[in-house]
């Protein structure tokens, strides 16, 4: 991919947050009326923002989880890309991007379920949440992000134990 092509993708961070049992957090998006799709927290990176700080910020906005309840375990070495389906072109992110390029983090959640607050931000993104086996993640996400989730699960597999 050329450097110019890279800028056609919105810079983003994604987080696989796991609990003490090795289960991954997923939320059901408020704005998805088309199906029963669940996703891990993700969001845009501001210009000049450190990726780890962007991840912590986005996680707090989407889940209410604060930094003191997190341990960063690993970051995938390469960014992962996905393209939006045709029906979404021009409708998201001001029409500036054809997809996202994502830096993915694995974090261990050391808090309790009561530390999760989907309404912590003035614009909630999730209406429900649950803990799931990481192997189920690709089945839960919208189809156009499935390959990314398969890569994320494979990339973090060796780090998922609670050692």
């Amino acid at each position: 991919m050329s450097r110019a092509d890279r800028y056609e993708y919105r810079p983003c961070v994604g987080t696989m947050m796991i609990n003490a049992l090795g289960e991954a957090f997923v939320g059901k998006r408020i704005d998805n009326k088309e199906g029963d799709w669940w996703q891990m927290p993700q969001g845009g990176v501001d210009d000049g923002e450190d990726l780890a700080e962007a991840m912590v910020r986005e996680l707090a906005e989407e889940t209410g989880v604060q930094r003191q309840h997190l341990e960063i375990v690993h970051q995938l070495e390469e960014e992962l890309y996905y393209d939006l389906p045709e029906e979404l072109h021009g409708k998201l992110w001001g029409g500036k991007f054809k997809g996202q390029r994502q830096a993915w983090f694995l974090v261990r959640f050391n808090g309790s379920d009561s530390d999760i607050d989907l309404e912590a931000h003035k614009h909630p993104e999730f209406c429900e949440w649950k803990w799931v086996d990481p192997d189920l993640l690709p089945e839960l996400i919208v189809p156009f992000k499935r390959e990314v989730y398969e890569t994320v699960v494979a990339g973090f597999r060796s780090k998922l134990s609670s050692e």
Side-chain angles (χ1 to χ4, degrees), residues 24-29 32 35-40 130-143 145-146 149:
F25 173 96
V26 289
K28 186 173 185 179
R29 289 192 57 93
N32 189 329
D36 190 28
W37 306 117
W38 297 74
Q39 73 175 41
M40 292 183 281
K130 61 185 175 180
W131 297 107
V132 300
D133 182 318
D135 288 328
L136 298 177
L137 292 168
E139 299 170 27
L140 298 174
I141 190 66
V142 292
K145 294 182 186 178
R146 189 161 291 147
Y149 272 40

Side-chain angles (χ1 to χ4, degrees), residues 8 84 88-99:
E8 294 180 3
L84 291 171
L88 294 178
H89 282 199
K91 294 182 179 176
L92 300 177
W93 315 307
K96 297 191 310 189
F97 304 103
K98 67 180 185 180

Side-chain angles (χ1 to χ4, degrees), residues 37-56:
W37 306 117
W38 297 74
Q39 73 175 41
M40 292 183 281
Q42 66 173 56
V45 176
D46 297 332
D47 287 339
E49 189 175 23
D50 175 79
L51 292 175
E53 290 305 313
M55 180 273 298
V56 170

Side-chain angles (χ1 to χ4, degrees), residues 85-113:
E86 284 292 324
E87 65 269 16
L88 294 178
H89 282 199
K91 294 182 179 176
L92 300 177
W93 315 307
K96 297 191 310 189
F97 304 103
K98 67 180 185 180
Q100 292 198 75
R101 56 185 170 90
Q102 299 178 317
W104 276 91
F105 290 84
L106 173 65
V107 300
R108 190 169 319 284
F109 174 63
N110 297 318
S112 65
D113 286 358

